[in-house]
Amino acid sequence: MELSKNMETAINKQIQAESYSAYLYLAMAAYCDSVGMPGYAHWLREQCEEELAHAMKFYHYVVERGGRVVLEAIQQPPTDFGSLLSLAQEVYAHEQKVTGLIHALYDLAAAEKDYATQVFLQWYINEQVEEEDNARVIVEKFKMAGGHPNILFMLDQQLGARE
Ligand code: FEO
């Protein structure tokens, strides 16, 4: 069964959203590098790679289902994030938004009785639980650090150890 036009369009939009996530996290990495947080910058660049992998997983799925991948423009991300805490909060809020997008895709697949897409999306549903958890824990850590340089230094080293 070929992907419906509706589902194809919706997944193409998600490819755009995942690509924007990659771009946003790379912009955040650049901000962290500019304020002397190379560890968090590394964490965010790794996150950027993950988002590209999310986009590519959708890409291959569309092709596998006989659909047509259409890439849309990616908007410019912000350049200033205010503070490390507000940046971390923005990552968390962004992941919550992405979870909403994935759930909406799932709702569409369910409404269309597109069982294959529902099964495919389960990977993303689980991934979002992990993504939100990681982002939330980092927010808590920045809150605990409370701007103390020594703690921030240690936190940055910890974030820089991400593989
Ligand atoms: Fe692709 Fe961070 O969700």
Side-chain angles (χ1 to χ4, degrees), residues 1-162:
M1 200 174 84
E2 261 188 30
L3 212 50
S4 76
K5 272 290 155 204
N6 260 351
M7 204 66 237
E8 180 188 281
T9 303
I11 295 178
N12 276 324
K13 276 250 163 272
Q14 193 61 30
I15 291 175
Q16 179 195 36
E18 301 288 349
S19 304
Y20 177 70
S21 298
Y23 219 33
L24 173 65
Y25 294 145
L26 192 58
M28 288 175 164
Y31 172 85
C32 287
D33 269 322
S34 79
V35 296
M37 288 290 281
Y40 198 18
H42 166 81
W43 191 96
L44 287 157
R45 282 194 303 271
E46 291 287 308
Q47 193 60 34
C48 167
E49 300 267 335
E50 276 209 9
E51 298 305 343
L52 288 177
H54 294 170
M56 289 312 295
K57 202 172 164 73
F58 276 117
Y59 176 108
H60 291 301
Y61 182 71
V62 170
V63 172
E64 203 181 356
R65 291 288 308 279
R68 171 76 161 94
V69 172
V70 176
L71 300 180
E72 293 184 22
I74 305 169
Q75 71 182 91
Q76 182 179 1
T79 49
D80 190 4
F81 297 92
S83 70
L84 291 164
L85 175 60
S86 59
L87 184 151
Q89 283 168 328
E90 201 172 319
V91 172
Y92 183 38
H94 186 72
E95 287 302 330
Q96 289 175 304
K97 189 178 143 195
V98 172
T99 299
L101 296 176
I102 297 289
H103 290 179
L105 274 182
Y106 190 92
D107 286 343
L108 179 63
E112 291 196 353
K113 295 192 192 306
D114 180 344
Y115 301 109
T117 301
Q118 287 174 66
V119 171
F120 171 74
L121 287 170
Q122 272 165 19
W123 183 88
Y124 285 90
I125 292 169
N126 288 330
E127 177 74 359
Q128 283 309 122
V129 171
E130 199 186 309
E131 296 267 270
E132 281 193 34
D133 183 46
N134 290 340
R136 189 176 40 75
V137 166
I138 293 174
V139 169
E140 290 312 314
K141 285 182 176 174
F142 273 109
K143 279 187 186 164
M144 278 191 283
H148 293 290
N150 288 351
I151 305 176
L152 280 176
F153 179 76
M154 283 192 297
L155 179 51
D156 192 55
Q157 287 208 314
Q158 202 184 84
L159 292 166
R162 177 178 183 177

